[in-house]
Amino acid sequence: QPVLRPTPEKAAVQWENWAMGLVNGNGSSRIVRLDIDRLRKQINPIQDTIDGIPAAKLGLGHSAPDNLALRKSIRRPGAPYGGLGVFEPPPAEEPESPSKPVEPARRITAETVRNTKLEEFRRCAEGSPSIYYWALQPIFDTQDVAIGAEILVRARNGSDSAPFEDIKFIMDPEAPDEVRSVYALWKGVEVVTWSLKALQENPVLQNLRFISANIRPLDLHPSSLVFKEVAKRFKALSPEDRELLKSQLCIEVTEDQEHPQDIVQSLQAWKDLGFRCWSYDDTIGDKACDALGMRSENLHTTTSLKDLINEFWLVKVDIEWAGHMIFLCHPSVGSRPALKAEVLEHARTEDLVYVPQGAGLKNTLMKHSEVLVEFASWARQMISKEKHICIELTVRQEDENCAYSLSRLHDLGLDIFGTDRQHFCIQGGLCGPKAFEPQTLAAGAEVEDNCKTQHRSRWCCLCSPPLVRDN
């Protein structure tokens, strides 16, 4: 069932009270529960060829061993499903003494890879069949109720990983104009057209408190191609469609670029368009960032957030900070139980954080107790400012590593699943890294009325606009 939306006039009047959590949101009487078993069984699509070229030769194959073999052949180590971006493929092997004439194999060059991937991003934006697609990763409160989702990019290779190297290629601010134009079109469609379509065609998703879309800091600027594309598409919507999108969409500012000095003015330009919900992506503690050697990769340290905190209602905890340093259950050790147990043992007996390196572990030289103090202190500051915290990691009380850290955090005055639970949410949760196309997520969602359950969530106060009814 669609939810009732505020009239533009009354929404403007009540917005300030809503943002402060003084009134309930329009979904306050409804909660969304997901059929986890059904969603876990969902198999991501696989596309074997792209315009006649085997997807594996473009770094987008469905076989992890084959993808790693390709990486090895071009000396580009990395994750099997990263996509490889633009690269010069190895020369094709010639068949030995063919018994009959063989048509020469199509020669694939770096230019072929570039043009093919660029065209696939264009097709994705145009709604045509493409190797790339957008999907929604659920976000849960601490009682496993779905409260939101983040728009992520996936490739049709059967994996739950993002083709992040291909995304880096398309969003390079120094790329030629052709690439930058396709990127702006692609982002504009994601933020406005695709998001609105997902909500309209799957009304059950309107009962989530928010859906977030990632925007890089430089793309926030009113002079950027991305802003102009979003503004053009947003202004072309009917008033009803604009109101629906404004009430559901959260703009998530990413961590991979330095904030320009005028970022506050850029944020205001988006607010002037009508976007009202803001999330700060991938926050990491300064000490943890240094221990992990991530200063050049993640620019969203807790220090960098200080001057901007008033602009955001939701702050996200980076998976590296949460997984490696805080809860000791990073996905990189999740499939290696012996290594995961060893990480916990080091923390218990030596008070030191160890992280995976190759087949073994590396000592970060940082005390786990210091990690927890840094996180607990920061989290309490966020709570005191009435912010919400999203942990980008599956944190479960029954997990031994998580339980150890949760207990120690409790001793430090931070009770994530108890007293402070209304301030926390978990991205992925029981669904882990999986992200789903909107119709799949909607098919696995069921709406319940709060009055029929014991669940009461304060998320509705801060993530949905006020329900307005004419008397």
Side-chain angles (χ1 to χ4, degrees):
Q1 296 176 333
V3 287
L4 183 60
R5 297 289 157 189
T7 63
E9 296 79 10
K10 291 190 176 181
V13 174
Q14 293 195 21
W15 172 255
E16 203 61 40
N17 284 340
W18 171 81
M20 295 172 64
L22 300 179
V23 294
N24 284 341
N26 58 37
S28 60
S29 64
R30 293 172 177 173
I31 61 174
V32 179
R33 293 198 183 275
L34 299 182
D35 186 339
I36 301 300
D37 290 337
R38 174 177 179 163
L39 292 173
R40 277 176 168 172
K41 294 174 183 176
Q42 179 67 28
I43 299 174
N44 289 340
I46 294 176
Q47 181 176 327
D48 289 322
T49 62
I50 305 172
D51 286 344
I53 303 173
K57 292 185 179 295
L58 299 169
L60 292 166
H62 62 82
S63 167
D66 289 350
N67 291 343
L68 291 173
L70 175 59
R71 284 186 173 278
K72 185 176 181 181
S73 70
I74 63 172
R75 296 181 175 84
R76 289 269 297 275
Y81 295 109
L84 278 169
V86 177
F87 62 97
E88 188 68 50
E93 295 182 5
E94 297 291 336
E96 295 182 9
S97 304
S99 56
K100 55 183 179 180
V102 177
E103 184 178 344
R106 178 179 175 182
R107 185 165 180 266
I108 303 172
T109 64
E111 185 178 6
T112 308
V113 175
R114 174 196 178 278
N115 292 342
T116 301
K117 292 187 174 183
L118 186 62
E119 182 60 24
E120 289 301 294
F121 278 109
R122 191 196 311 274
R123 288 175 178 172
C124 177
E126 293 172 348
S128 302
S130 170
I131 191 76
Y132 306 112
Y133 67 101
W134 290 294
L136 296 171
Q137 185 177 43
I139 297 173
F140 301 86
D141 70 7
T142 55
Q143 298 177 58
D144 295 330
V145 170
I147 60 166
E150 179 180 350
I151 304 172
L152 299 177
V153 184
R154 293 290 184 258
R156 300 185 191 279
N157 56 11
S159 81
D160 292 314
S161 302
F164 62 90
E165 290 158 310
D166 292 0
I167 300 170
K168 284 183 178 179
F169 151 65
I170 190 73
M171 67 183 187
D172 180 5
E174 303 300 323
D177 289 347
E178 179 191 16
V179 177
R180 293 171 58 236
S181 295
V182 172
Y183 170 61
L185 171 67
W186 183 67
K187 286 303 291 185
V189 170
E190 175 198 340
V191 173
V192 179
T193 312
W194 185 87
S195 299
L196 182 62
K197 182 180 179 183
L199 291 165
Q200 290 177 327
E201 294 185 353
N202 305 279
V204 67
L205 300 182
Q206 295 180 33
N207 292 285
L208 296 173
R209 306 304 186 237
F210 66 96
I211 291 176
S212 62
N214 289 296
I215 299 291
R216 306 181 85 196
L218 294 181
D219 292 332
L220 292 169
H221 199 278
S223 66
S224 75
L225 293 177
V226 169
F227 179 89
K228 291 177 180 178
E229 184 68 29
V230 169
K232 178 184 73 174
R233 290 176 174 273
F234 189 69
K235 291 176 181 178
L237 298 177
S238 67
E240 295 77 16
D241 288 347
R242 277 201 302 271
E243 196 59 40
L244 172 58
L245 196 61
K246 286 192 300 184
S247 68
Q248 294 287 146
L249 193 69
C250 173
I251 301 299
E252 188 164 316
V253 181
T254 63
E255 80 291 348
D256 56 343
Q257 289 179 335
E258 276 194 49
H259 294 158
Q261 290 186 345
D262 60 353
I263 189 171
V264 174
Q265 289 82 355
S266 294
L267 294 174
Q268 186 59 50
W270 287 73
K271 293 175 184 177
D272 292 342
L273 276 181
F275 294 105
R276 303 179 288 204
C277 290
W278 294 88
S279 169
Y280 192 80
D281 196 18
D282 288 339
T283 315
I284 187 170
D286 288 88
K287 292 179 180 178
C289 189
D290 289 334
L292 292 171
M294 294 182 62
R295 282 286 176 180
S296 62
E297 300 173 40
N298 189 337
L299 303 174
H300 273 191
T301 61
T302 49
T303 296
S304 69
L305 173 62
K306 284 182 179 179
D307 294 336
L308 291 173
I309 187 58
N310 291 334
E311 303 293 331
F312 301 93
W313 65 266
L314 179 67
V315 286
K316 288 192 166 184
V317 178
D318 182 65
I319 190 172
E320 310 301 324
W321 189 19
H324 284 312
M325 307 299 287
I326 301 169
F327 298 103
L328 311 173
C329 62
H330 192 275
S332 58
V333 298
S335 59
R336 296 183 281 180
L339 210 60
K340 184 178 175 182
E342 191 178 339
V343 168
L344 177 58
E345 187 62 21
H346 282 300
R348 275 177 169 162
T349 60
E350 304 169 38
D351 191 26
L352 288 171
V353 176
Y354 280 69
V355 297
Q357 184 177 58
L361 295 173
K362 177 184 74 172
N363 185 357
T364 65
L365 303 179
M366 186 166 183
K367 290 183 178 297
H368 188 232
S369 56
E370 291 181 7
V371 172
L372 297 179
V373 167
E374 181 179 40
F375 175 67
S377 175
W378 172 78
R380 292 244 60 94
Q381 290 176 24
M382 296 301 101
I383 291 172
S384 71
K385 295 178 182 293
E386 299 183 343
K387 307 301 176 183
H388 287 274
I389 301 167
C390 178
I391 301 173
E392 296 188 293
L393 176 78
T394 297
V395 179
R396 306 297 300 175
Q397 297 179 81
E398 61 270 21
D399 180 280
E400 188 176 7
N401 290 41
C402 290
Y404 173 72
S405 297
L406 288 168
S407 174
R408 298 194 68 186
L409 287 170
H410 184 275
D411 294 340
L412 291 170
L414 186 66
D415 190 3
I416 292 175
F417 285 88
T419 307
D420 301 309
R421 67 180 181 273
Q422 70 269 27
H423 296 282
F424 285 90
C425 61
I426 311 292
Q427 184 156 342
L430 291 170
C431 292
K434 282 187 170 295
F436 309 96
E437 293 186 80
Q439 66 273 18
T440 302
L441 184 61
E446 181 179 343
V447 177
E448 297 179 5
D449 200 304
N450 254 344
C451 65
K452 297 179 181 178
T453 73
Q454 296 299 313
H455 183 89
R456 290 284 176 180
S457 175
R458 283 186 55 193
W459 281 95
C460 56
C461 298
L462 294 178
C463 308
S464 303
L467 178 62
V468 178
R469 289 190 173 94
D470 290 321
N471 295 326

